[in-house]
Amino acid sequence: MTVEPFRGGSWPTLGVELELQLVDQESFDLAPVANEILSEIPDEFRESIKRELYLCCVEVNTGICRDVDEVGRDLAGKLAVTAERAARNGARLAWGGAHPFAHWLDQPISPDVRYHELADQFKDTLLRQMTFGLHVHVGVKDGDTAARTCTRVAHYLPTLLALSANSPFWCGRPTGLYSYRLDVMGTAPTGGQPPFLRDWASFVKLAERLAAVGCIKTTKELWWDVRPSDRYGTVEVRICDMPTDLPSVQGLTAFIQCLVHHTAEDTEYEPAELDEFGRMMIRQNRWRAARHGLDAVLVDPASGRNESVRDEIQRMIVGLRGTAEKLGCGRWLDYVRVMAERPDGATRQIEVFEQTGRLTDVARFLAGEKIESEVDLKA
C-alpha cells in the first residue's frame, strides 16, 4: 500500500458525510431498502448518495463546500431527493447514532465487495457496528499541518462527542450511556483514539507499516476518531453521533471547521506528547462524554483540572469567535451555544421513552415526528 500525496489547499473547505437510518413508514423498524432507493437516484447525485455497510443505512455527502451555509444548501437538496425516494419504497429517513430497538443480527449487509471482505476479516467486531455517525472533513494546507492538527484537536474530541451524543438505546434496551455508538465502535482494532503524529512522514510511516503486517489495506481502514485524509487533503473528524436534524449538523460543522482551522493556523504551538496520565485522561473523557453527554465533567489532559463540558463549549466559542467571523460561520457558532444550553439528543430520546414507554415512539421521534406524552393526549 502506498499513501497518496496529500492534496492540501489554502482555504479550510468542508466536506460533510451523513449516515442516516432508513425506517419503515408504519413499524418504524429499520428498513433495508438502500438498493431500491439508490436505483432511483438521479445520475447527478450518484456520487453523493451511497450505500453503507448495512442496507438500512444511506450515506449522504456534500461536494466540496466553502462554508457552512453552502453545506446546508448542498445537503438540503440531496436529503429531499433521498427522502422522496425512500417514501416511494415505504421508508423514511431517521436521524440518530443508533436505532432504539432493531438488532444488527437481523439486518442484511450491502452487496459491495469491499464490505464483504471487511466482514470476513473482522467478523462480529465489524458486523455489530450498526451505528450512524457524522463525519466532517476540513481542508488544510499540507500533510504536516494535517498530522499535527489531528494530534492537537484530539484533546477536544470528547467535547464534540458530548455535544452530538444521540444513541442511548441499543437492540431494544436503555444502555445507561448517552452515546452507546462509541462503545460499539470501540471494538475496531484500528479505531478509537488517534496516535500522536508529529508530521506527515510519521503518518505515512505508520500507515505503511500497518499495511505491511496486514492490519490495513488502505488508509480508509484507520477508523480513528480523527484522521488525516490523504485522498481529500483534509483533517476528518469522525467521533460525532448523527445528531437529530440538519441545523445541528451545521452547528457541529461550524464548530469543527473553526477548531481545525484555528489549531492549524497556530504555527507557534508545537504539541508536546502527552504523558501516560494525559493519554489516559483523553480516554477517560471519551468515556465520560459517552456516558453523560452534555452533562459530563471532563478533565484537562495537561493540567488535570475538571470542567463541565457545557462550560468548556461556551469558553471555546469565545476563543473561536474571530475564526468564525473570518470563515463566515458566526451565526452557526452561536447555534452551538444554543445546543450546549439545551438537552442533547440522547436526553430527548430518553424523555420520549419515559413519557410514552414505547421505543417505537423514540424511532418516530428520530424520523422527525412530534411525540406527545400520555398526559398531553388526555388533556
Side-chain angles (χ1 to χ4, degrees):
M1 183 199 78
T2 301
V3 178
E4 295 184 29
F6 190 88
R7 300 179 179 89
S10 59
W11 184 260
T13 54
L14 292 165
V16 179
E17 304 169 2
L18 312 182
E19 295 172 348
L20 295 165
Q21 303 174 36
L22 298 169
V23 297
D24 184 85
Q25 289 177 338
E26 296 183 1
S27 70
F28 290 90
D29 197 353
L30 287 174
V33 294
N35 284 341
E36 291 82 353
I37 292 171
L38 294 177
S39 70
E40 301 175 358
I41 291 295
D43 289 343
E44 63 198 274
F45 294 139
R46 290 198 180 277
E47 293 302 312
S48 300
I49 303 171
K50 303 177 181 179
R51 275 190 297 258
E52 256 292 337
L53 172 63
Y54 281 107
L55 292 177
C56 58
C57 175
V58 65
E59 183 178 281
V60 180
N61 302 331
T62 68
I64 299 173
C65 298
R66 183 176 175 84
D67 56 38
V68 179
D69 285 330
E70 186 178 354
V71 166
R73 292 191 297 271
D74 183 304
L75 287 174
K78 293 169 182 174
L79 288 167
V81 169
T82 308
E84 193 275 332
R85 298 309 192 269
R88 291 185 188 180
N89 291 279
R92 297 171 60 171
L93 301 181
W95 300 62
H99 190 273
F101 60 84
H103 201 293
W104 58 273
L105 286 171
D106 300 327
Q107 302 303 317
I109 67 171
S110 165
D112 294 53
V113 172
R114 173 175 174 263
Y115 289 131
H116 281 268
E117 290 176 346
L118 289 172
D120 185 62
Q121 179 181 358
F122 293 107
K123 300 300 183 181
D124 282 9
T125 301
L126 176 75
L127 291 173
R128 70 190 293 264
Q129 293 184 23
M130 192 180 71
T131 61
F132 307 83
L134 166 68
H135 301 165
V136 178
H137 291 259
V138 182
V140 294
K141 62 182 179 181
D142 54 43
D144 286 344
T145 301
R148 288 196 297 268
T149 301
C150 286
T151 295
R152 291 161 69 174
V153 302
H155 182 143
Y156 302 102
L157 295 176
T159 305
L160 298 173
L161 175 65
L163 187 62
S164 67
N166 198 24
S167 52
F169 299 100
W170 181 251
C171 295
R173 59 181 294 272
T175 64
L177 276 68
Y178 281 42
S179 175
Y180 195 70
R181 169 181 163 272
L182 193 73
D183 182 78
V184 174
M185 300 291 289
T187 59
T190 56
Q193 189 174 336
F196 185 91
L197 300 173
R198 290 191 177 277
D199 50 32
W200 185 245
S202 66
F203 171 73
V204 172
K205 181 179 179 180
L206 174 60
E208 291 183 345
R209 290 188 69 184
L210 289 170
V213 298
C215 291
I216 61 172
K217 293 181 179 178
T218 76
T219 55
K220 291 179 66 175
E221 292 170 23
L222 296 171
W223 298 311
W224 300 333
D225 297 339
V226 60
R227 68 184 181 190
S229 174
D230 51 333
R231 181 182 178 188
Y232 295 116
T234 62
V235 168
E236 181 186 3
V237 176
R238 302 168 49 83
I239 198 170
C240 294
D241 279 5
M242 178 53 54
T244 53
D245 51 36
L246 182 56
S248 297
V249 167
Q250 290 180 267
L252 282 160
T253 299
F255 201 22
I256 291 168
Q257 185 188 31
C258 290
L259 177 62
V260 168
H261 185 64
H262 180 80
T263 54
E265 290 295 295
D266 186 0
T267 56
E268 297 182 1
Y269 175 73
E270 183 65 30
E273 187 165 4
L274 291 171
D275 60 17
E276 189 55 34
F277 172 83
R279 298 286 293 175
M280 287 188 69
M281 285 308 99
I282 291 180
R283 290 195 293 272
Q284 176 71 201
N285 286 341
R286 290 173 80 251
W287 185 86
R288 290 185 180 196
R291 170 66 180 86
H292 300 289
L294 278 173
D295 292 328
V297 175
L298 305 183
V299 181
D300 186 284
S303 69
R305 181 175 60 89
N306 287 317
E307 184 176 25
S308 76
V309 72
R310 293 182 192 272
D311 288 346
E312 182 187 19
I313 291 170
Q314 302 295 353
R315 178 172 54 78
M316 289 175 65
I317 288 172
V318 172
L320 294 172
R321 174 59 58 190
T323 302
E325 295 304 324
K326 174 184 174 182
L327 301 181
C329 61
R331 72 186 184 97
W332 289 110
L333 197 63
D334 288 336
Y335 191 76
V336 174
R337 187 188 301 278
V338 174
M339 291 172 65
E341 291 172 347
R342 69 187 188 188
D344 52 43
T347 299
R348 292 156 70 191
Q349 289 192 51
I350 293 167
E351 288 174 348
V352 168
F353 183 60
E354 289 177 344
Q355 289 169 1
T356 72
R358 295 185 292 266
L359 287 174
T360 51
D361 286 335
V362 178
R364 288 172 56 211
F365 167 74
L366 296 178
E369 289 196 11
K370 178 175 170 37
I371 307 299
E372 296 178 314
S373 69
E374 296 294 336
V375 174
D376 294 333
L377 291 172
K378 293 176 182 177

